[in-house]
Amino acid sequence: MTDNNENSDAPLDEEGRVPKRVIGTPPPVGTQELLPRKEPGEGSSGYVLDEKKARSAERVAAAFFTLTFLAGIAFIVFYAVWPGHVGNIHRAARSNYTLGTALTLVFVGLAVGMTIWVRHLVTTKEIVQERHAISSTPEDRETFNKYFQEGTQESGLIQRRLLRRTLLLAAAPLGLLPLVLLRDLGPLPEKKLRHTAWKNGTRLVVDGTGQPLKAADFNSPGGIITVVPEGAENDLDEIATAAVLLLNLPVDKLKIKKGRENWNVGGIVAYSKICTHVGCPAALYEQTTHHILCPCHQSTFDALNSAKVIFGPAARPLPQLPISVDSEGYLIATSDFKEPVGPSFWERGRPKA
Amino acid sequence: MKWFTAWRRRPWAGYAVVLAALAIIGVAYAGVSSGADRAQASDTKASAQDVAKGKELFNQQCSSCHGANAQGTRNAPSLIGVGAASVDFQVSTGRMPAANYTGAQIPRKKRTLNDEQTRQLAAYIASLGGGPPVPSGDQVDPANGDSALGGKLFRANCAQCHNFAGSGGALTGGKYAPPLDKATPTQIYEAMLTGPQAMPVFNDTTVTPAQKRAIIAYVTQTRTEPNPGGSGLGRIGPVAEGLAGWLFGIGLMVVAAMWLTARKPSKKTRND
């Protein structure tokens, strides 16, 4: 490459043209060309239209423009005759269909008509536009270099070593300042991620009906139900973290973890319904395998074994809620979850955050 | 391979490839959705005669897997105490007799035993050890159900597997929650009550009969809901919509772009 910017230095072919090349395709070396090269329009006379074909193309394009006109009128008529905002949902559906179809025809007619116009009726001659090197002239570069050298010499930045180093030192913390400020972007989540509405004595009520549940009533093997804390059954913010999947598991197959001996009521166990991966509701319980599947990323938990992860991207078992029965036989929680529910967050492992 | 190279260079080859790909995807999708039968159970009093006839049917149709006395074998569970509701569900949906089916789970298929035979078989199994009976017509009448309450319960406890509109979904190891579009109100009730295959149980003390009827009302009403946005695409949610948008929408746009940028076929430059 030279710095000559007066003329492009790309090799000219035998006909005096710069070879055309599409970005991303290999250069046309020798005979290895992806497409057979077409000659540009004959000399500079442009493409000569076949008048008969042009006439029919004109008619087709005109027909599409007429379609656009009619569809535009139809849109206004449909809007006036069948407005979607009165009547029931069926009328709204019909309004959507008619208006959508009319508007589609408007734009399709316009687009197809214009494309036919451009492809069959516009006579353009192909031209070659030469590209030039982007770099500055050698004189400009030379001058810039000279001025720059002179400037650095005159400022004394090269000789005054102390000055130079303290300037760099002064600039260093400046780059760190935004990082420090990041800390105060918005309030911290406080302890909301660590606690739910469950506490000792809170009854388990059925999500949707709010009825408390007796252990004796939830007695069918292989049963499940979604429960929420009593008193928060209509508070969606609380349910978002406190939703619990209650399962009736075969007590003889249950592998109870040490320290969790009193967390189940005769095989009835309660796991957080919120997947520990990214927080989807993990509730696809199969009573044949006792697996709980999360539909989002196929994390699978073994309900018999403290909801241990047996497949998928979840990092931790589903937190288990310690449950018991009160004096009237209703299922209650005996405490909050012993660990934060749901997905990981930065300070999760910090003991007293 | 010369013919292929020649074919590939034809001006219409690109369009043909894109359109063929679209067609193959369309056919594959149509093949996935298939039809099945409809069934309705009846409930009448079980007589000694029914029990006797049911035993006869059981010996012919069921005993090879479930054992001569319905006590279960290595291949099939015991039927003692499962009740008439379970028999009615399994037989009226065609799942039983399963006839040596070796998949991840037994699919719904055309039923082989009629209402009368199903009733007799249910009477025999019920006589072995009780269990939940077939629900009455009033218990499953969607017209008497509170579909708003049913929707709440369905979304909290059923939608995770059966989808918010009852379109079904995948489980682990090839198992699946079937779509509910063909289930009759009686079958929906029986499925909740008995928990067939991998489905959990929702007994009457956890989800009361009135709440079950509400769920039935929700499921049946959802089927008749219109799709104001156009095609429902099986109502399986954003996955189907995204797939249709990407494959068909972008496929058509690719064809359009190919057409727009295609070289104008000109005979004038053929003289070289």
Side-chain angles (χ1 to χ4, degrees):
Chain A
M1 295 290 282
T2 66
D3 284 329
N4 178 8
N5 71 325
E6 298 304 311
N7 286 308
S8 169
D9 55 356
L12 302 178
D13 63 13
E14 62 269 26
E15 288 157 31
R17 288 181 294 106
V18 179
K20 278 194 284 182
R21 185 181 157 198
V22 180
I23 291 168
T25 60
V29 179
T31 55
Q32 279 194 329
E33 293 191 10
L34 289 175
L35 291 167
R37 194 184 310 162
K38 289 270 171 72
E39 304 298 323
E42 295 177 322
S44 58
S45 63
Y47 183 77
V48 182
L49 282 177
D50 178 348
E51 188 52 38
K52 209 172 148 198
K53 279 187 180 168
R55 190 71 63 73
S56 77
E58 185 187 2
R59 254 182 255 124
V60 175
F64 276 104
F65 290 149
T66 314
L67 174 72
T68 297
F69 168 76
L70 293 175
I73 300 288
F75 183 93
I76 297 167
V77 171
F78 288 147
Y79 191 86
V81 177
W82 291 326
H85 58 276
V86 290
N88 57 19
I89 186 82
H90 297 279
R91 285 194 65 139
R94 191 170 57 185
S95 174
N96 282 347
Y97 271 126
T98 52
L99 294 183
T101 309
L103 205 60
T104 305
L105 289 177
V106 165
F107 288 121
V108 165
L110 212 55
V112 174
M114 282 164 89
T115 311
I116 289 170
W117 178 9
V118 169
R119 282 176 58 83
H120 292 284
L121 294 168
V122 177
T123 55
T124 49
K125 55 181 178 183
E126 289 182 28
I127 56 163
V128 175
Q129 189 176 21
E130 288 180 358
R131 275 191 281 177
H132 303 284
I134 302 168
S135 61
S136 308
T137 65
E139 296 85 51
D140 286 350
R141 292 187 189 190
E142 196 68 33
T143 317
F144 177 81
N145 267 340
K146 208 175 93 214
Y147 283 145
F148 190 80
Q149 298 287 349
E150 279 174 17
T152 46
Q153 290 298 330
E154 282 165 15
S155 68
L157 201 67
I158 305 293
Q159 299 94 330
R160 311 274 172 204
R161 203 185 280 172
L162 181 68
L163 197 69
R164 192 172 76 231
R165 288 183 179 173
T166 48
L167 180 64
L168 286 175
L169 185 73
L174 208 59
L176 294 174
L177 296 187
L179 282 180
V180 178
L181 294 177
L182 273 180
R183 191 186 167 279
D184 287 331
L185 285 178
L188 288 170
E190 299 158 18
K191 291 181 179 175
K192 283 177 193 158
L193 295 176
R194 298 182 179 276
H195 299 287
T196 67
W198 294 107
K199 50 184 187 285
N200 185 17
T202 311
R203 276 182 180 170
L204 280 60
V205 299
V206 175
D207 186 16
T209 64
Q211 69 193 23
L213 205 55
K214 277 184 178 166
D217 288 343
F218 188 68
N219 57 356
S220 289
I224 67 160
I225 197 79
T226 302
V227 290
V228 293
E230 186 173 39
E233 59 263 31
N234 295 319
D235 187 339
L236 289 179
D237 285 342
E238 292 291 353
I239 292 177
T241 54
V244 157
L245 190 67
L246 196 66
L247 303 155
N248 189 322
L249 301 171
V251 73
D252 51 320
K253 289 190 189 164
L254 210 55
K255 284 182 206 153
I256 295 168
K257 221 171 166 181
K258 214 172 163 220
R260 295 189 179 183
E261 290 83 0
N262 299 324
W263 288 21
N264 75 85
V265 180
I268 301 175
V269 293
Y271 294 119
S272 167
K273 199 179 175 180
I274 299 149
C275 184
T276 53
H277 177 222
V278 284
C280 291
L284 280 71
Y285 167 70
E286 299 173 359
Q287 70 143 319
T288 42
T289 56
H290 303 293
H291 293 169
I292 301 168
L293 173 72
C294 177
C296 293
H297 305 96
Q298 281 69 53
S299 293
T300 311
F301 305 90
D302 185 359
L304 293 176
N305 192 3
S306 306
K308 196 180 131 194
V309 183
I310 51 173
F311 182 80
R316 290 179 303 282
L318 296 171
Q320 187 177 349
L321 183 73
I323 55 169
S324 182
V325 284
D326 64 12
S327 54
E328 295 171 60
Y330 287 105
L331 288 163
I332 53 163
T334 57
S335 82
D336 193 3
F337 287 103
K338 301 287 187 188
E339 57 180 317
V341 299
S344 305
F345 51 95
W346 273 13
E347 298 88 355
R348 189 180 183 281
R350 202 182 289 171
K352 287 246 169 166
Chain B
M1 287 314 275
K2 232 174 190 166
W3 62 270
F4 182 73
T5 316
W7 183 87
R8 199 164 57 85
R9 291 220 175 115
R10 294 276 172 87
W12 44 262
Y15 303 101
V17 168
V18 174
L19 289 176
L22 285 178
I24 288 166
I25 292 158
V27 170
Y29 177 77
V32 168
S33 43
S34 58
D37 60 317
R38 222 158 245 277
Q40 179 67 56
S42 63
D43 55 322
T44 31
K45 287 257 156 44
S47 65
Q49 205 181 358
D50 284 341
V51 172
K53 280 205 172 146
K55 183 169 171 55
E56 205 175 300
L57 274 168
F58 181 87
N59 288 339
Q60 292 163 6
Q61 305 267 355
C62 322
S63 58
S64 60
C65 297
H66 288 287
N69 299 310
Q71 79 280 20
T73 66
R74 246 191 346 205
N75 300 327
S78 161
L79 299 184
I80 295 163
V82 299
S86 184
V87 177
D88 185 61
F89 175 85
Q90 299 285 355
V91 177
S92 73
T93 60
R95 287 184 169 86
M96 289 291 151
N100 300 325
Y101 184 78
T102 54
Q105 79 183 46
I106 295 159
R108 189 186 181 100
K109 58 180 184 291
K110 196 168 163 48
R111 62 189 293 189
T112 52
L113 299 175
N114 62 26
D115 282 348
E116 177 75 10
Q117 291 167 318
T118 307
R119 195 171 51 76
Q120 291 163 347
L121 203 54
Y124 168 65
I125 296 297
S127 75
L128 294 177
V134 176
S136 70
D138 175 62
Q139 269 181 305
V140 300
D141 187 2
N144 297 334
D146 176 359
S147 57
L149 173 70
K152 270 188 184 173
L153 287 166
F154 188 89
R155 287 188 295 273
N157 295 299
C158 319
Q160 61 259 44
C161 300
H162 286 290
N163 159 302
F164 52 88
S167 300
L171 296 171
T172 63
K175 295 191 284 296
Y176 58 91
L180 304 180
D181 53 343
K182 297 193 182 66
T184 64
T186 306
Q187 288 166 356
I188 298 171
Y189 193 102
E190 288 163 351
M192 288 189 273
L193 194 59
T194 62
Q197 302 193 58
M199 177 166 164
V201 179
F202 300 89
N203 66 11
D204 279 347
T205 43
T206 308
V207 176
T208 63
Q211 290 166 358
K212 283 195 174 73
R213 190 164 59 188
I215 290 172
I216 291 167
Y218 173 79
V219 172
T220 50
Q221 272 185 32
T222 308
R223 292 175 191 161
T224 58
E225 283 289 308
N227 291 312
S231 170
L233 295 173
R235 291 187 182 169
I236 54 171
V239 173
E241 286 152 27
L243 196 72
W246 274 90
L247 292 181
F248 293 95
I250 293 185
L252 285 175
M253 279 158 90
V254 166
V255 171
M258 284 165 70
W259 178 61
L260 279 175
T261 58
R263 274 170 188 268
K264 187 154 51 182
S266 60
K267 292 182 179 118
K268 301 232 163 202
T269 55
R270 269 291 159 85
N271 50 9
D272 52 0

